[in-house]
Amino acid sequence: MRILKHLALFAAYGLAGAVLALVIAYVAYLQSRPDLKPWHTVRLAAEFRAADRDRVRTLAEYQAIEERVFADLRGTVYPRTAPADRRRLNRYFAGSLADPAGYRRDWNRTLELAAPNPRGAVLLLHGLSDSPYSMRPLAERLHAEGYRTLALRLPGHGTAPSGLVHAQWQDWAAAARLGARHLRGRIGADLPLYVVGYSTGGALAVEYALARRAGEDLPRVDGLILVSAAIGVSPVAALAAWQARLAALPGFEKLAWSSIGPEFDPFKYVSFAVNAGVQIHALTTEIDARIAALDKGGGVEGMPRVLAFQSAADATVDAGALVRVLLGRLAPAGHELVAFDVNRHAEAAPLLAPGTGEDVRRLLVAGPLPFALSVITNRDPHSAETVAQYRPAGTATTGADPVGIAWPPGVFSLSHVSLPFPPSDPLYGAARPAVIEGVYLGRPELLGERGLLAVPESELVRLRFNPFFSYLERRVLEFVRLR
């Protein structure tokens, strides 16, 4: 018996030693990454926090804080950019192609478009590490339809990546509440108010609606439009909390970052803070728990109508969580999922990994769903033309309508980042514009040897525009006109 105890103790020590060795090796790898720059380490002027909600109650007060943060950014980060980093594609080098100040408008800032006699209002919430630029196309289109629109810059975004090292999801949720109250106060109690949420913004829209459903005193929302909503993320994000804590130790600052990259995009961070992943995991966990608490059997009732858009191929969020965590647990109330399948054209299909997009295909043959389903997919394996295969809520009946849009040559799927941008977007679009305001990142056609580009090669493969944006836009307009 004593021998067995000694062997067990020896095995435990051995396992602990192996785990420690792996941790040390992982930390050593993280520390071997590129050096941090001023935009990774600076602490800018105080951002809006959830604790400020009783002190900062108006959009004007919120934007005053925003102005101070941007002034601090220009005064502290840009002058500290080292000569070696003063490149044409560094957003923190004044006058570079990626400098947001070189655009006719700095789309990193909150954007409000007023309407003289509004039909309603729309609050638009961008994604994690993103900016209001991703909400610009829908904000401008809805404004043209007569809606007052507010594309809110969430705290920690649009300035320096370091802004996400200390942000909390409750700060973003408090900002969303401020935006909703502002719009409701401008349009009155009778007109409709909608929330459009992209990625993390989609999670914030759902959190808002669930909080109101649970009894929080919040303005009424008449519909949620979710684009690539972050309703579920990898559980690995929760394990990153220990890494963020170690980053507080002197000399271990790099551990605060999941990725450290060149900041070539004027309106989106390339570097990604570990804390950002921790926060979105905490937010999605909160959403799951609230739905569970509200579901008394038969699905959560009393939620605003939901129209969700999701790509079957999404490397950023758990696409299946949109159904598993949210739509499949809501009581039938006019909700719909629009899913963009991968390109199943005979020329593109061999490029895809086995099983790609099968979750979406299974939904089409599943039992009756509590929400309507539209799947944008190839008309047949020999055509790039697409159809919308449609299933009404509560039935197994499937129909198909032509979409009138074909997959562009060379595009095998959409991506998480592509859905909110039209092919005409001057930064991320399908073709280089005749006059480039700053930098063009949409579809650069570059060939050469690997390892030579300042931009990560993986970034050049990822689709940044949505060839089906006109369909998405049409469905959004139909949704807001239904009331």
Side-chain angles (χ1 to χ4, degrees):
M1 183 66 70
R2 293 182 63 185
I3 293 176
L4 291 177
K5 288 183 178 179
H6 284 302
L7 288 174
L9 187 61
F10 179 77
Y13 281 133
L15 179 60
V19 170
L20 180 60
L22 288 173
V23 170
I24 292 173
Y26 180 62
V27 170
Y29 160 73
L30 294 176
Q31 289 292 88
S32 70
R33 295 177 298 168
D35 291 337
L36 299 179
K37 306 296 183 180
W39 44 90
H40 296 118
T41 59
V42 68
R43 291 292 297 266
L44 296 174
E47 274 272 24
F48 174 83
R49 296 288 181 246
D52 299 325
R53 54 180 166 256
D54 293 331
R55 180 179 60 86
V56 180
R57 304 185 65 87
T58 69
L59 182 65
E61 292 170 337
Y62 184 86
Q63 289 182 289
I65 293 175
E66 186 174 272
E67 285 299 318
R68 289 196 293 272
V69 175
F70 275 94
D72 195 21
L73 174 73
R74 301 298 297 191
T76 60
V77 174
Y78 283 71
R80 293 171 55 194
T81 299
D85 293 319
R86 294 174 185 173
R87 302 173 179 172
R88 295 187 52 139
L89 278 183
N90 182 3
R91 72 181 277 179
Y92 299 107
F93 173 36
S96 75
L97 295 176
D99 181 6
Y103 287 73
R104 60 185 176 86
R105 181 187 182 98
D106 185 350
W107 299 103
N108 288 304
R109 299 170 185 252
T110 293
L111 169 68
E112 183 176 26
L113 300 174
N117 296 296
R119 301 172 60 177
V122 184
L123 173 64
L124 300 103
L125 305 172
H126 62 74
L128 195 59
S129 81
D130 221 321
S131 72
Y133 184 82
S134 61
M135 296 286 88
R136 178 189 61 84
L138 282 176
E140 292 180 342
R141 185 68 181 89
L142 287 162
H143 177 254
E145 289 290 310
Y147 292 87
R148 186 183 188 107
T149 61
L150 172 63
L152 192 71
R153 183 195 69 93
L154 299 174
H157 293 80
T159 54
S162 61
L164 294 182
V165 172
H166 304 286
Q168 304 289 309
W169 73 261
Q170 292 88 347
D171 304 331
W172 309 328
R177 284 156 168 73
L178 184 149
R181 288 191 175 99
H182 169 78
L183 289 173
R184 179 56 74 192
R186 290 296 183 271
I187 64 172
D190 297 331
L191 293 178
L193 171 62
Y194 301 96
V195 182
V196 177
Y198 165 51
S199 192
T200 295
L204 292 169
V206 172
E207 187 276 334
Y208 178 100
L210 289 171
R212 187 176 189 276
R213 174 66 183 80
E216 187 174 340
D217 184 17
L218 294 172
R220 183 191 80 251
V221 168
D222 298 272
L224 306 181
I225 299 167
L226 310 180
V227 181
S228 299
I231 303 302
V233 294
S234 171
V236 175
L239 301 177
W242 69 267
Q243 184 177 325
R245 295 188 188 101
L246 283 178
L249 299 175
F252 286 87
E253 291 81 3
K254 289 183 185 179
L255 269 64
W257 298 92
S258 297
S259 61
I260 303 170
E263 298 297 329
F264 58 86
D265 192 318
F267 305 120
K268 182 179 178 64
Y269 302 148
V270 176
S271 302
F272 193 80
V274 168
N275 178 63
V278 172
Q279 295 307 313
I280 185 57
H281 182 269
L283 174 57
T284 56
T285 301
E286 180 74 12
I287 288 172
D288 190 11
R290 290 190 188 180
I291 292 176
L294 289 169
D295 187 0
K296 306 304 181 184
V300 178
E301 298 180 342
M303 285 285 285
R305 288 183 303 124
V306 176
L307 174 63
F309 298 91
Q310 178 63 51
S311 171
D314 194 314
T316 301
V317 303
D318 177 359
L322 189 59
V323 172
R324 188 177 67 252
V325 176
L326 180 63
L327 292 174
R329 296 161 75 189
L330 299 182
H335 311 305
E336 182 174 355
L337 168 62
V338 177
F340 296 95
D341 198 3
V342 296
N343 185 358
R344 298 184 182 275
H345 190 279
E347 294 181 359
L351 297 173
L352 302 176
T356 300
E358 288 309 306
D359 286 347
V360 166
R361 307 295 289 183
R362 281 193 286 269
L363 283 176
L364 284 170
V365 296
L369 301 168
F371 56 89
L373 172 68
S374 294
V375 176
I376 312 306
T377 189
N378 296 72
R379 184 180 63 199
D380 60 65
H382 303 288
S383 174
E385 292 293 330
T386 57
V387 295
Q389 293 188 352
Y390 180 77
R391 287 187 61 187
T395 76
T397 304
T398 302
D401 294 317
V403 174
I405 303 173
W407 280 99
V411 176
F412 53 85
S413 78
L414 300 189
S415 73
H416 178 80
V417 298
S418 68
L419 264 65
F421 297 104
S424 60
D425 188 83
L427 177 58
Y428 303 127
R432 181 181 295 272
V435 178
I436 300 178
E437 193 172 4
V439 63
Y440 171 66
L441 300 172
R443 200 170 184 175
E445 297 182 2
L446 301 171
L447 294 173
E449 185 56 277
R450 61 186 178 186
L452 299 181
L453 298 176
V455 177
E457 293 162 13
S458 60
E459 294 290 337
L460 301 179
V461 176
R462 201 176 196 190
L463 187 70
R464 291 175 176 268
F465 65 90
N466 183 359
F468 304 100
F469 182 84
S470 61
Y471 176 83
L472 181 151
E473 182 182 72
R474 175 168 63 82
R475 294 301 309 278
V476 168
L477 295 180
E478 291 172 353
F479 181 79
V480 300
R481 290 169 182 160
L482 275 179
R483 184 179 185 271

